[in-house]
Amino acid sequence: MTKESRVSIYFFAPAGIFMLIFLFFPVALLIRDSFFEIDMIGQGRGAFVGLSHYVDAIRSERFIGATTNTIIYVVVAVGFELILGLFFALLLNTAFKGHGIVRTIMLAPLMIAPLVSGLIWRFMLNNQFGIVNKLLYDFNITSSRHAIQWLSDERFSLFSTIIADIWLTTPFMMLVLLAGLQGISPTLYESSQIDGANKIQTFLYVTLPSLFPVMIVAVLIRTVDAARTFDIVWVLTQGGPSNSSEVLSTYMYKTLTRYGQVGESSAMAVMFILLLLAISSYFLFVMFKANKK
Amino acid sequence: MLSKPNVEVSNKSMLGRLFRKNNKNIIGIFTVVLALLFISPYIYIVLTSIKPSSDAISSSPTFFPRQLSLENYVTMFNQMPIIRYFLNSFTTASISTILAVFLGALAAYGLSRFSSKTGHAFLLLTLCVRMIPMISIAIPMYIIINVMGLIDTRIALIITYTAINVPFSIWLMIGFFNNIPKEFDEAARIDGCNVFSAFIKVILPVSLPGLATAAIFCFMLAWNDFLFALLLTSTNAKTATVGISEFLTAYNLDLGPMTAAAVSFSLPIMVFSILVQRYIVSGMTLGAVKE
């Protein structure tokens, strides 16, 4: 080994050791724990149970329900965010007077904690004092001030958590797509104008295809983040009523803290990791194919 | 400037320009209205926090306060040791940020000067860490912290946040160091610096924008964290996010002080993030948009 590369290793070692202990070891522990019966109170490691935690989880109605809810949450939230984000990005890209100020306004929620977004919507969607129900009533959309029990009606609870997510992360989508739009070469637009394309054709055949790779990355990042959602759901509904807004993160949290089932929650966590890795590999594959073209 | 060769044509194009300009103004006004509408939930919370607490939980709420009052803020301070929670948030977030950025910068420097292949490996590792759901790390972390006897200590949170932030910090810094020519290091070495002092005295100062971006994101992750703080702390090390969430009671009577706490927690961050928007934008679009 050369002196140069040895020096490099010294530089890398502190971070490497830290990650080894507090990142890779926990993941390894997680995988091992998923095969054992573990009692939280006695702190003891019990019998090896093989894949039975995995089988139990897949067979349990609550796990399937939480997975379904997570998928609905991701698809609806990311779908709306993509459409709204693209809409705002296109508006901001027209460079009207004062677009800088609007951009700043739109980007202000970018760094707000998911928890705070949850609190804001918990307050606005409140059954008794919420302003959303009041506005719906004032505009004659609903017939009473308590018409929709946003957070305690099983039909709306999951939807309400999704609203808080869309509000919080549309600015991120807008920001990334705007950067993508500004990266499209003006010559592409010029040549489409020479070819006599109208605005809609230009959008469909120039803007969208050029934006596609950026869109894939933005959707991938948002999909992973939306799937991991915990704070928003916890603050708004804690997964209730009767598990109607239970997502994977909240279910695993309860399995660990309320029931003390380390083995069970570890098995679910491993499956969750595998699921997200599979989804992101698929996205990266699509992107790789698109880049090749 | 050219003289007007053809008055009619120039008039026509002027009309066209006027129309287009108007069009732009209409889009502009439309966008401003939409943006204000979009941000209104936050404005509503800020306005509610300065209403008298009876107005904050009125069954017929108004957007603007009818009367100003700091009652909600006073109740917030009286009801729980909120200052201690904020201090806990601040110390854990800042110490973990310093650790993650420093360890990350060291490692990234080593990797960027070693080989570009390891840099790619790190990109992959960062992506993988980003894919892992927080809850999946939280479960074994809970066990480890428990065994170490660190439950309800700020050290537990500092360790966790640093571990999560180090890969991101390495990845971000590799990009910056790769753009600094190796001649910089060589010049410093000729001037009598050793490898480490060249890094501290020459490389770090030129990469301040990168360090700032990394620090902002590391800090925000820790400051905004709720899951780990909820799981790993109970009284002594409780952070602001967990404290604020405790204003949510079954009968909603503390919603007024809750809005005050939420505003105190997020408004400084909002102002700060507007000030450093350049760094945030560069950090967020990194990876998504090729330069």
Side-chain angles (χ1 to χ4, degrees):
Chain A
M1 203 184 280
T2 61
K3 190 179 169 246
E4 274 270 285
S5 60
R6 223 174 322 147
V7 170
S8 303
I9 289 170
Y10 293 148
F11 272 98
F12 180 68
I17 293 168
F18 196 91
M19 286 192 292
L20 207 62
I21 301 174
F22 295 111
L23 209 58
F24 300 121
F25 176 63
V27 174
L29 188 70
L30 178 82
I31 296 170
R32 196 178 72 159
D33 282 352
S34 70
F35 298 116
F36 286 89
E37 195 63 59
I38 295 165
D39 180 16
M40 269 303 272
I41 305 141
Q43 293 285 331
R45 195 172 301 278
F48 177 79
V49 292
L51 286 172
S52 75
H53 289 320
Y54 290 84
V55 176
D56 289 350
I58 292 171
R59 281 205 189 136
S60 94
E61 225 168 85
R62 276 192 76 181
F63 181 73
I64 300 295
T67 311
T68 317
N69 281 346
T70 308
I71 294 170
I72 296 173
Y73 186 100
V74 169
V75 172
V76 178
V78 178
F80 270 99
E81 282 154 26
L82 181 64
I83 295 166
L84 283 175
L86 184 61
F87 179 66
F88 273 110
L90 287 169
L91 282 178
L92 279 181
N93 202 31
T94 45
F96 52 86
K97 216 183 238 171
H99 73 282
I101 299 164
V102 177
R103 203 179 88 139
T104 306
I105 295 176
M106 284 297 296
L107 292 188
L110 209 53
M111 284 302 193
I112 287 185
L115 176 93
V116 173
S117 172
L119 293 173
I120 290 175
W121 288 95
R122 168 96 181 234
F123 185 63
M124 302 215 331
L125 296 173
N126 191 289
N127 299 333
Q128 290 165 278
F129 320 115
I131 198 167
V132 173
N133 270 344
K134 195 212 170 213
L135 288 175
L136 288 176
Y137 175 70
D138 287 350
F139 286 104
N140 283 323
I141 298 168
T142 51
S143 56
S144 106
R145 281 213 177 127
H146 312 289
I148 302 176
Q149 306 276 303
W150 291 98
L151 303 173
S152 49
D153 185 326
E154 289 176 27
R155 288 168 300 169
F156 298 112
S157 55
L158 183 63
F159 183 64
S160 304
T161 59
I162 293 174
I163 294 177
D165 193 279
I166 295 173
W167 180 75
L168 180 69
T169 46
T170 295
F172 168 79
M173 212 48 135
M174 182 205 82
L175 171 67
V176 175
L177 294 178
L178 184 62
L181 281 175
Q182 285 165 351
I184 299 173
S185 144
T187 50
L188 277 177
Y189 287 118
E190 278 160 25
S191 55
S192 87
Q193 222 169 23
I194 292 165
D195 290 346
N198 62 31
K199 272 190 176 160
I200 295 168
Q201 283 169 326
T202 310
F203 177 72
L204 285 179
Y205 298 111
V206 177
T207 313
L208 275 187
S210 317
L211 205 56
F212 186 70
V214 176
M215 246 192 247
I216 292 283
V217 179
V219 169
L220 168 64
I221 292 174
R222 277 303 308 144
T223 299
V224 171
D225 280 350
R228 309 195 291 187
T229 185
F230 173 83
D231 307 9
I232 287 180
V233 178
W234 194 256
V235 166
L236 279 170
T237 63
Q238 295 215 351
S242 46
N243 308 328
S244 57
S245 59
E246 189 87 278
V247 290
L248 283 169
S249 292
T250 56
Y251 182 44
M252 284 178 215
Y253 183 85
K254 286 179 193 167
T255 313
L256 178 70
T257 58
R258 289 197 185 155
Y259 313 119
Q261 296 167 323
V262 179
E264 283 84 346
S265 55
S266 301
M268 289 189 270
V270 171
M271 285 194 278
F272 196 9
I273 295 177
L274 293 177
L275 183 74
L276 284 185
L277 281 180
I279 292 173
S280 28
S281 321
Y282 173 74
F283 270 98
L284 292 175
F285 173 73
V286 170
M287 199 169 59
F288 183 69
K289 252 174 78 179
N291 273 353
K292 243 185 166 181
K293 257 185 216 165
Chain B
M1 259 226 217
L2 290 169
S3 59
K4 306 164 203 156
N6 193 327
V7 178
E8 218 185 66
V9 169
S10 92
N11 261 347
K12 224 177 172 180
S13 72
M14 229 169 80
L15 261 178
R17 227 180 302 152
L18 204 71
F19 179 69
R20 243 180 295 145
K21 210 177 160 194
N22 253 339
N23 235 355
K24 252 187 188 174
N25 284 341
I26 291 165
I27 293 177
I29 292 164
F30 179 65
T31 317
V32 170
V33 171
L34 277 186
L36 286 177
L37 211 62
F38 189 84
I39 199 76
S40 64
Y42 191 77
I43 298 172
Y44 179 55
I45 287 289
V46 175
L47 293 178
T48 303
S49 74
I50 49 174
K51 286 176 188 171
S53 71
S54 56
D55 281 6
I57 48 169
S58 136
S59 56
S60 159
T62 53
F63 189 81
F64 292 102
R66 278 171 290 208
Q67 206 185 332
L68 295 182
S69 155
L70 286 178
E71 207 184 324
N72 289 325
Y73 287 88
V74 175
T75 320
M76 168 185 90
F77 282 116
N78 288 339
Q79 214 155 316
M80 56 172 82
I82 198 84
I83 295 179
R84 204 182 72 213
Y85 299 160
F86 270 77
L87 278 177
N88 281 340
S89 279
F90 188 75
T91 38
T92 52
S94 10
I95 295 175
S96 67
T97 300
I98 294 168
L99 278 174
V101 172
F102 184 68
L103 290 178
L106 271 181
Y109 181 67
L111 290 173
S112 94
R113 294 309 192 247
F114 184 37
S115 93
S116 58
K117 265 187 203 148
T118 35
H120 285 303
F122 255 89
L123 179 70
L124 208 66
L125 179 70
T126 317
L127 281 173
C128 284
V129 172
R130 225 181 166 289
M131 300 304 151
I132 296 178
M134 292 289 190
I135 184 77
S136 299
I137 300 268
I139 295 169
M141 260 316 206
Y142 181 63
I143 317 272
I144 293 171
I145 297 293
N146 219 343
V147 169
M148 290 169 80
L150 290 176
I151 288 283
D152 201 21
T153 59
R154 283 176 286 186
I155 299 172
L157 292 179
I158 292 172
I159 288 175
T160 313
Y161 299 148
T162 310
I164 295 170
N165 276 327
V166 161
F168 170 76
S169 158
I170 294 178
W171 175 44
L172 204 132
M173 293 313 297
I174 281 186
F176 268 86
F177 292 146
N178 279 343
N179 286 335
I180 300 172
K182 278 195 176 177
E183 284 74 30
F184 265 71
D185 318 37
E186 281 155 20
R189 300 279 286 283
I190 289 164
D191 288 347
C193 287
N194 62 29
V195 186
F196 188 71
S197 62
F199 171 70
I200 298 284
K201 284 185 190 155
V202 179
I203 302 296
L204 279 189
V206 251
S207 41
L208 269 183
L211 292 172
T213 309
I216 290 167
F217 279 88
C218 292
F219 186 88
M220 293 314 300
L221 183 132
W223 179 262
N224 285 348
D225 168 69
F226 177 59
L227 175 59
F228 288 105
L230 188 66
L231 190 65
L232 300 178
T233 68
S234 48
T235 40
N236 291 326
K238 192 186 283 177
T239 63
T241 47
V242 181
I244 296 169
S245 76
E246 281 166 6
F247 281 115
L248 299 173
T249 51
Y251 300 105
N252 298 316
L253 295 175
D254 290 330
L255 284 180
M258 182 278 278
T259 58
V263 171
S264 318
F265 178 75
S266 58
L267 201 59
I269 296 299
M270 195 102 114
V271 173
F272 175 71
S273 69
I274 288 171
L275 293 177
V276 298
Q277 210 173 65
R278 193 160 56 96
Y279 297 105
I280 294 174
V281 169
S282 78
M284 283 212 170
T285 50
L286 186 88
V289 187
K290 281 178 211 141
E291 301 268 318

